Amino acid sequence: MRILLSNDDGYFAPGLAALHAAMLPLGEVTVVAPERDRSGASNSLTLDRPLYVRTSAQGFRYVNGTPTDCVHLAVTGLLDHLPDIVVSGVNHGANMGDDTIYSGTVAAAMEGFLLGIPAIAVSLSGRSHGNFAAAAAVAARLVQRFSRRAFPEPALLNVNVPDVPEDRLGPLEVTRLGKRHKAEPVIRSQNPRGDTVYWVGAAGDAADAGPGTDFHAVAQGRVSVTPLQVDLTRFAQADALRGWLAG
Ligand code: MN
């Protein structure tokens, strides 16, 4: 099995190293990841400058671009063979609910999906205990499942894993995205030269976090697996819109 790995935290990130270690026994593993932390890059492509690809001491390819650039480059020309699956992560921090819109981790997987390859985004929900190996093991089990039995439809899976050791992880739960409250306000500050600067504030707390959501599953210690789609059309609103436009 040919496995393409990427992330948004950068090629040096511990979550990527854990993912690489977990995937090595499963097939031919290639890493193409950003040269620096591009968390929050969403689906951006770099169109205003050339991209280079360098190789790290441990054989990871890294790119002066976004997570989307990395997977796009890999699949559309860099690699000799198309990967059978794209796995992105393990992200340092959850990507649940609205996070998925901003996430570079999800975007890297989504780029694979858009290019016709099954893809999995994996995030560690929690930033304190660093159980990347457990999350990577979950990803490896999913990849093994893909290799044993092809999923009959195009698949983009968003996986969030509680930050606990593997033997304390609950079962997989198929979820939907929850929703967060509005983000915290920007934080106004001053740089050492007295200029006013702003920091984007924290994401809002979970608002829609009831049973069935990714937030709920992870809070219960289970591994959340959300099937994602890319079409943003709000079909249920089309009739209301037609009426409003005709009125
Ligand atoms: Mn990240």
Side-chain angles (χ1 to χ4, degrees):
M1 192 164 207
R2 292 195 177 92
I3 304 164
L4 173 62
L5 303 185
S6 194
N7 74 350
D8 76 354
D9 294 336
Y11 74 94
F12 45 80
L16 180 60
L19 195 61
H20 183 253
M23 294 295 162
L24 270 182
L26 306 184
E28 185 187 317
V29 183
T30 307
V31 175
V32 184
E35 70 172 358
R36 61 185 177 87
D37 187 344
R38 301 304 303 269
S39 295
S42 187
N43 301 86
S44 51
L45 279 172
T46 300
L47 302 176
D48 61 346
R49 58 190 167 82
L51 298 171
Y52 59 74
V53 181
R54 290 176 176 160
T55 305
S56 75
Q58 75 269 51
F60 292 4
R61 246 88 63 98
Y62 61 96
V63 179
N64 60 333
T66 65
T68 299
D69 289 328
C70 292
V71 174
H72 191 88
L73 228 71
V75 173
T76 62
L78 178 65
L79 303 183
D80 295 332
H81 302 283
L82 284 184
D84 299 304
I85 195 160
V86 174
V87 187
S88 174
V90 174
N91 188 57
H92 189 203
N95 278 305
M96 302 192 285
D98 321 341
D99 304 337
T100 51
I101 295 293
Y102 302 98
S103 167
T105 305
V106 173
M110 193 180 288
E111 189 63 14
F113 173 75
L114 288 171
L115 294 168
I117 301 163
I120 305 173
V122 191
S123 302
L124 186 65
S125 177
R127 301 176 67 90
S128 43
H129 301 110
N131 287 290
F132 289 113
V138 169
R141 286 204 300 276
L142 285 170
V143 168
Q144 278 179 299
R145 188 170 284 270
F146 268 99
S147 108
R148 278 203 308 270
R149 195 151 58 95
F151 189 68
E153 296 177 13
L156 172 58
L157 305 183
N158 186 43
V159 179
N160 281 278
V161 185
D163 190 5
V164 297
E166 198 179 351
D167 58 3
R168 284 180 42 208
L169 277 180
L172 303 187
E173 179 182 339
V174 175
T175 56
R176 66 178 176 84
L177 298 181
K179 196 156 175 38
R180 289 188 185 276
H181 286 289
K182 218 169 74 166
E184 300 291 319
V186 290
I187 296 143
R188 185 203 289 254
S189 177
Q190 276 198 340
N191 75 7
R193 288 172 292 283
D195 305 317
T196 300
V197 297
Y198 298 88
W199 285 98
V200 169
D205 286 332
D208 173 9
T213 64
D214 44 7
F215 290 110
H216 187 264
V218 167
Q220 302 298 312
R222 295 191 284 267
V223 175
S224 166
V225 184
T226 312
L228 297 185
Q229 61 185 5
V230 177
D231 186 345
L232 296 177
T233 309
R234 189 168 178 177
F235 290 99
Q237 198 172 66
D239 281 343
L241 179 60
R242 276 188 203 99
W244 181 75
L245 289 171

